[in-house]
Amino acid sequence: MRMLDKVRLRLRSLFRRPNVEFELETELRFHLDQLIEENISSGMPPEEARRAAQRMIGGIAQCKEECRDMLRVNFVEDLVQDVRYTIRSLAKSPGFTGVVVATLALGIGANIAIFTILHGVLLRPLDYPKPDQLMYLTAEAPAIGGTGSALSAPEYIEFRQMNRSFAAVGAYSTGGAAYTTGEVNLTTGDRPLRVRSISVDAHLLKALSIQPEQGRFFGDEETARWTGTLPPPIAILSHELWRTAFGQRPLVGLKVEIEGRPHEIVGIMPPGADVMDNHTQVWLPLWLHPNMARQREAHVLYVIARLKDGVIAEVAQTELSAFLENWGDRVGTTDHVPTNRPLRSVDHTLQLRALQDAIVGNASRPIWVLQAAVGFVLLIVCANLANLVMARAGSRRREFVLRIALGASRGRLLRQSVTEGAVMSVAGGILGLWLASAGVRALIRAYPTSIPRPSELTINLPVLLVALGLSTGTALLFGFVALGRGRTSSMAAALKEGARGSSGAWRHYGRRGLVIAQVAFAVMLVIGTGLLVQTVYNLTRIDAGFDRSRLVTFSMTLPMANSEPEARAQAYQRVLDRLRSLPGVLGTAAMSGLPPNRTPDAIASPIENYTSDDGRPFAIIDYYQFVMGDYFGTMGIPIVAGRGFERTDTASQGKVAIVNETLAKRIWKGQNPIGHRLRPPGGSFGASDDVWHTVIGVAKDVRQRGVERPAGTEFYVSLDQHGVAPPSMNVVIRTTLPPAALSGTIQQVVREVDAAVPVVRLRDMDSVFAESIRRPRLLAQLLGAFAGLGLLLAAIGTYGVLSYMVTERRREIGIRLALGATRSHVLTQIMKQGLQVTALGVTIGLAGALAVTRLIASLLFGVQPTDIVTIAFVIATITAVAVVASWLPAWRASRLDPNVVLRDE
């Protein structure tokens, strides 16, 4: 009860202050009157009795303060007073307040924005039950640079049966029946849509341990019977597609047209459900053609497995290594089985890694680089603001001294300084949070495919705690810097200085040291930015193997359910002919895979009179390109030997093909490839049988899996000669018109062929090329923005220090001018001091950059971390900025009038 009484008393003292003050005043007056009466009754005169009573009590005001201290609520009153005083004080200096809050908002906002990405992508667990148990299994072919590839169907089944470490092992494919991976046509009402799709087996859904929001998932029988020519007509919709395309109306048990065939909707996924950040909208049952399901060379399935409870990843990796030692013996065949020693080009191994690491991929290092960069920016911000606060505290030294003389303790002054810093930091933090939220949203809109897990990028509790920590840290920094700057060893000296102010040598050194630190951090940021900008420039200058100027492209898919390969070929030919007849169109073609952003096909292809390293008569070809129309002419790909496809080839009985330079060198090793034969699997492009194709030409290499990677082996087949076509094709048009001018006509031409087929990804080839370097470009742009901010703050810091020095040395400069010093001499001396500070900062920054840039070496292309040209350019740029920042206060100092200065002093 005593504790409750104390709490009640303190709350009453806090919220009913006038009543408590009145009661305190009344009680003290009562005791004073009692003492006065006692003194008068003892014979004292009234005035002397009053003075004696007051001396005995010790003063009414002092007694009130003691009583208030006993209530222990003074800290709240003091805080309110400090906040009010701070607001009034900052309102009198709107320029200083605005600069500090804006600078803090930029520094804190940049850090919060990048930490939001860091937390959402790298630190936040995947949105599955026990996500640390999920592993990703891929095939790796190090001899030919193949990483993250799929497994063959036999390998997947064998691993699922052999392993003892996993509770569930499932597979998925993004290919399905269409050649363009991961998409299907879906019709809702009279609207054709092209949506993201994935084909999964029932084991994968068990491994993910998610439950449907409505309906059910696929059963084992629906995803394991690979017979017939088409998968079962059932589907599951994502929650997001169900909401946006169907208005959340009941769909389970009803049919929706997918790929031209009615599919029964058996379930609705829970919100946010996805696989490998694929933005999946339609889930289909996994189905493989029976022939492909038996081929060990057909790597088409990606595998996700869930560890058993109590089993760690290292144990599973050890088990996998044991399997790889004698996989062939375990399964009874040595034909294209994984091995622990993949030394030859035809060899491959299997690798396990955490699912989250597989989703993030190579985005981890760029994100950490950005986080380090914004950390440097925050340090520059703090150094810059520390200089501002020190300058302001110097002008307030007389105020601090007077307050100490009137009885204020240093703790009280520290609390006041910290309160001022807290008010500005909170304002900067709130504005920074808003800037961070807006910045993250803008990044996602501008680069929707460059950042993994974009749906996870939200301002949540961990991000708010980081914002709170940054604001608190800067508030304490301001408080200690301001109080330290306001200290003085001589109260009399401080009062004599008055408004003129003076600073000790250590304070000048401190301010210059802060500027040196700003310049050093800015140098490291700008050098890193310069290297990444050079990387992006190098990537844009790469010859991808084709002429991307004046090329427009779009994609379309004809449903397999209601079209045969021959009918599809005729439909695509009508589209090409119709587009070729348009004014401004110079050429048209269609292709199965659009460079330079393709996934390798890795198809085993028999080659006549050829024996691979392991004695087999076939080779794994990285890319198959099935083309229609004047492909090489339209794309601007030179034929370096032999000839290209011609219209007369369609009447030829023998099938012809073209290979690229890399395939010719790797297979025929310096021999003339013209006349040699290969036999591609006809099922890969819609043909009914496998026939030999004679090489008639060698095409220049085209970079297919990113412009920064070397070209792989590539094999071209003319679909015009075969009279068939796969469901999905990419159409390219060489034209003098922009995509927007062609959009309506293209839509009309495609509708004439099939009204249910949407036109997707209509854009020029420059946009396709830019998409292939989107991540380096984004990194360079963000780092460039941070480096520009750091350089600007460093320039402001240099200007501020010199301006403050000129203000403090006005009297000295005036005397020098009066004694005969030239204005050019004063200008030179001031600029010399600014450039000396810059030179020290550049030297320290260069040393730091040499260490830091090695950490981003893996992100560079065509440039070394110690590139002399980039470093020289950065030094020249920072020196030029320092010259401008130093010249302004130096010029102002040289224009001082000695008569005016000395009269003012």
Side-chain angles (χ1 to χ4, degrees):
M1 287 298 295
R2 292 191 60 190
M3 180 62 68
L4 291 176
D5 291 340
K6 289 181 180 179
V7 171
R8 190 161 47 247
L9 177 61
R10 288 170 184 169
L11 290 175
R12 183 172 180 271
S13 301
L14 193 59
F15 295 106
R16 294 192 175 182
R17 187 70 177 179
N19 294 345
V20 173
E21 287 292 323
F22 177 77
E23 294 170 0
L24 180 60
E25 176 74 20
T26 302
E27 185 171 355
L28 288 175
R29 288 296 175 187
F30 172 77
H31 287 294
L32 180 62
D33 292 341
Q34 290 291 322
L35 289 175
I36 292 173
E37 289 179 5
E38 290 178 4
N39 291 338
I40 291 175
S41 62
S42 63
M44 288 185 184
E47 288 299 324
E48 185 177 348
R50 175 176 293 276
R51 286 195 296 272
Q54 289 176 340
R55 286 196 301 272
M56 189 175 300
I57 290 179
I60 296 294
Q62 289 86 341
C63 283
K64 286 182 179 179
E65 286 298 323
E66 291 178 4
C67 292
R68 293 188 189 112
D69 289 340
M70 293 179 66
L71 292 174
R72 296 182 182 178
V73 294
N74 276 5
F75 73 94
V76 177
E77 298 172 0
D78 292 343
L79 177 62
V80 173
Q81 292 175 1
D82 288 342
V83 170
R84 289 175 178 171
Y85 179 82
T86 294
I87 294 174
R88 290 197 303 269
S89 176
L90 295 178
K92 294 178 181 178
S93 305
F96 169 81
T97 305
V99 169
V100 170
V101 171
T103 306
L104 269 177
L106 290 173
I108 294 177
N111 275 268
I112 294 173
I114 300 303
F115 181 77
T116 300
I117 297 174
L118 176 69
H119 178 263
V121 175
L122 302 181
L123 304 182
R124 184 173 180 173
L126 298 177
D127 196 16
Y128 300 114
K130 299 181 180 179
D132 55 311
Q133 293 183 339
L134 291 173
M135 305 295 291
Y136 193 59
L137 182 64
T138 57
E140 312 288 324
I144 58 173
T147 60
S149 300
L151 277 67
S152 66
E155 286 173 349
Y156 161 59
I157 295 173
E158 291 158 3
F159 178 77
R160 188 153 54 89
Q161 293 171 347
M162 289 190 300
N163 90 90
R164 295 295 178 267
S165 299
F166 295 98
V169 179
Y172 74 92
S173 172
T174 56
Y179 197 87
T180 299
T181 61
E183 294 178 337
V184 292
N185 292 338
L186 180 145
T187 303
T188 166
D190 58 350
R191 239 186 348 138
L193 300 176
R194 188 78 174 153
V195 297
R196 301 285 297 176
S197 68
I198 191 171
S199 299
V200 301
D201 68 0
H203 301 288
L204 180 75
L205 299 174
K206 293 176 184 177
L208 296 179
S209 295
I210 54 178
Q211 298 298 322
E213 181 180 15
Q214 297 180 28
R216 64 175 180 86
F217 283 158
F218 304 133
D220 291 343
E221 289 297 314
E222 294 170 324
T223 62
R225 294 169 56 186
W226 297 336
T227 59
T229 57
L230 290 173
I234 55 177
I236 301 171
L237 300 185
S238 72
H239 173 89
E240 291 74 19
L241 180 67
W242 173 58
R243 186 185 71 246
T244 57
F246 297 95
Q248 294 184 313
R249 68 175 186 265
L251 275 185
V252 175
L254 302 181
K255 293 189 176 181
V256 172
E257 186 173 296
I258 300 174
E259 288 293 287
R261 189 163 63 128
H263 281 63
E264 180 187 352
I265 305 302
V266 299
I268 304 294
M269 281 288 180
D274 198 5
V275 176
M276 294 302 294
D277 205 28
N278 187 54
H279 309 291
T280 305
Q281 297 169 287
V282 173
W283 304 62
L284 299 170
L286 181 63
W287 177 87
L288 296 177
H289 191 280
N291 291 337
M292 185 172 289
R294 291 190 294 267
Q295 291 180 14
R296 303 194 68 89
E297 296 82 8
H299 289 245
V300 293
L301 296 181
Y302 296 91
V303 178
I304 295 175
R306 176 175 289 277
L307 292 167
K308 293 179 179 178
D309 291 337
V311 177
I312 60 176
E314 289 75 12
V315 172
Q317 183 62 56
T318 301
E319 181 185 59
L320 176 61
S321 298
F323 293 160
L324 293 172
E325 285 292 338
N326 57 355
W327 192 292
D329 296 336
R330 291 172 181 267
V331 300
T333 181
T334 58
D335 182 25
H336 196 70
V337 295
T339 175
N340 252 348
R341 290 170 290 278
L343 303 178
R344 303 168 302 178
S345 60
V346 295
D347 291 337
H348 72 285
T349 187
L350 301 182
Q351 183 182 73
L352 272 174
R353 54 178 169 163
L355 182 62
Q356 183 162 346
D357 293 341
I359 291 175
V360 173
N362 57 4
S364 176
R365 185 177 290 271
I367 292 174
W368 282 112
V369 167
L370 286 175
Q371 189 63 61
V374 293
F376 283 161
V377 169
L378 186 62
L379 291 175
I380 295 174
V381 165
C382 290
N384 194 285
L385 295 183
N387 259 331
L388 281 176
V389 173
M390 287 175 67
R392 187 168 187 266
S395 65
R396 296 177 63 192
R397 278 206 306 154
R398 190 178 184 193
E399 173 195 338
F400 290 150
V401 170
L402 285 173
R403 294 181 67 179
I404 292 174
L406 293 174
S409 64
R410 292 197 180 275
R412 187 70 180 81
L413 293 181
L414 175 62
R415 190 166 60 191
Q416 175 65 51
S417 299
V418 171
T419 302
E420 290 184 1
V423 169
M424 292 187 290
S425 297
V426 167
I430 293 173
L431 182 56
L433 269 174
W434 180 82
L435 289 175
S437 178
V440 170
R441 289 197 302 270
L443 274 179
I444 294 174
R445 284 196 299 269
Y447 296 92
T449 60
S450 298
I451 305 174
R453 306 177 65 189
S455 60
E456 308 287 343
L457 306 185
T458 57
I459 305 294
N460 50 22
L461 181 59
V463 175
L464 292 176
L465 291 177
V466 168
L468 178 63
L470 293 175
S471 300
T472 302
T474 52
L476 293 175
L477 173 68
F478 290 161
F480 286 112
V481 167
L483 188 61
R485 182 66 179 86
R487 293 181 62 181
T488 181
S489 57
S490 171
M491 188 179 300
L495 293 174
K496 287 179 182 178
E497 288 166 8
R500 185 180 66 196
S502 177
S503 292
W506 72 270
R507 294 190 180 101
H508 283 304
Y509 292 142
R511 289 172 60 82
R512 292 177 184 176
L514 290 172
V515 174
I516 290 171
Q518 292 179 65
V519 173
F521 287 131
V523 167
M524 288 187 275
L525 281 174
V526 177
I527 287 179
T529 300
L531 294 173
L532 288 171
V533 169
Q534 184 65 40
T535 291
V536 173
Y537 176 78
N538 293 340
L539 290 173
T540 59
R541 302 291 293 179
I542 286 178
D543 180 10
F546 61 93
D547 179 12
R548 65 179 187 270
S549 63
R550 299 185 300 169
L551 272 184
V552 173
T553 178
F554 67 91
S555 175
M556 58 181 288
T557 299
L558 298 173
M560 284 186 66
N562 52 18
S563 64
E564 295 298 324
E566 294 79 7
R568 291 196 294 268
Q570 295 170 8
Y572 280 118
Q573 193 61 58
R574 289 199 303 272
V575 171
L576 295 180
D577 292 342
R578 179 75 174 85
L579 293 175
R580 194 180 299 115
S581 65
L582 296 176
V585 173
L586 306 178
T588 60
M591 71 190 88
S592 55
L594 186 68
N597 298 310
R598 292 181 62 188
T599 301
D601 303 315
I603 298 177
S605 306
I607 302 174
E608 190 176 47
N609 300 324
Y610 169 79
T611 303
S612 65
D613 295 339
D614 59 349
R616 290 180 291 183
F618 62 83
I620 304 296
I621 296 181
D622 299 325
Y623 302 99
Y624 266 41
Q625 187 70 290
F626 309 118
V627 303
M628 299 181 69
D630 183 17
Y631 173 75
F632 294 100
T634 302
M635 289 289 290
I637 302 173
I639 299 295
V640 298
R643 66 175 179 86
F645 296 126
E646 298 175 352
R647 288 186 177 273
T648 56
D649 292 331
T650 57
S652 173
Q653 293 297 320
K655 305 304 181 184
V656 296
I658 294 174
V659 298
N660 72 339
E661 295 172 292
T662 299
L663 179 58
K665 293 174 183 176
R666 185 173 297 175
I667 300 300
W668 292 288
K669 305 184 187 309
Q671 300 179 27
N672 185 2
I674 307 299
H676 288 272
R677 298 199 304 171
L678 301 88
R679 190 172 64 195
S684 60
F685 56 92
S688 57
D689 54 358
D690 302 348
V691 298
W692 288 101
H693 287 61
T694 302
V695 176
I696 60 171
V698 178
K700 181 181 178 180
D701 281 341
V702 174
R703 297 183 184 237
Q704 296 283 358
R705 200 179 185 184
V707 295
E708 76 281 4
R709 301 192 183 193
T713 56
E714 189 166 10
F715 182 74
Y716 296 91
V717 174
S718 171
L719 297 178
D720 294 330
Q721 188 181 29
H722 288 269
V724 297
S728 292
M729 295 288 280
N730 297 282
V731 179
V732 288
I733 308 168
R734 185 163 295 279
T735 175
T736 58
L737 303 175
L742 291 169
S743 176
T745 303
I746 291 174
Q747 297 277 0
Q748 180 180 350
V749 169
V750 173
R751 276 198 300 268
E752 291 173 359
V753 173
D754 191 330
V757 174
V759 172
V760 295
R761 289 185 292 278
L762 175 61
R763 50 193 170 161
D764 57 41
M765 194 60 78
D766 285 328
S767 300
V768 177
F769 191 89
E771 178 73 9
S772 68
I773 60 172
R774 65 190 185 280
R775 190 164 286 171
R777 189 189 298 274
L778 172 61
L779 180 60
Q781 289 175 342
L782 290 178
L783 205 59
F786 299 146
L789 176 60
L791 186 59
L792 175 64
L793 291 175
I796 292 173
T798 302
Y799 170 81
V801 166
L802 292 180
S803 295
Y804 186 74
M805 182 189 70
V806 168
T807 301
E808 287 199 324
R809 295 177 59 190
R810 287 180 74 249
R811 187 167 184 266
E812 174 195 338
I813 294 171
I815 293 175
R816 286 177 179 271
L817 291 171
L819 293 177
T822 63
R823 297 188 183 278
S824 61
H825 177 74
V826 172
L827 181 73
T828 303
Q829 289 298 312
I830 301 297
M831 288 194 65
K832 180 181 177 181
Q833 294 183 20
L835 294 178
Q836 284 175 342
V837 170
T838 302
L840 283 172
V842 168
T843 303
I844 297 172
L846 282 176
L850 291 176
V852 171
T853 53
R854 297 182 187 278
L855 301 178
I856 63 171
S858 62
L859 305 177
L860 304 179
F861 181 85
V863 63
Q864 295 297 318
T866 55
D867 183 63
I868 299 299
V869 175
T870 302
I871 292 175
F873 177 78
V874 169
I875 293 175
T877 301
I878 291 180
T879 302
V881 171
V883 167
V884 174
S886 303
W887 182 82
L888 291 173
W891 178 83
R892 194 182 67 182
S894 68
R895 308 309 297 173
L896 287 175
D897 186 342
N899 295 322
V900 175
V901 172
L902 295 177
R903 184 173 64 247
D904 291 344
E905 292 293 331

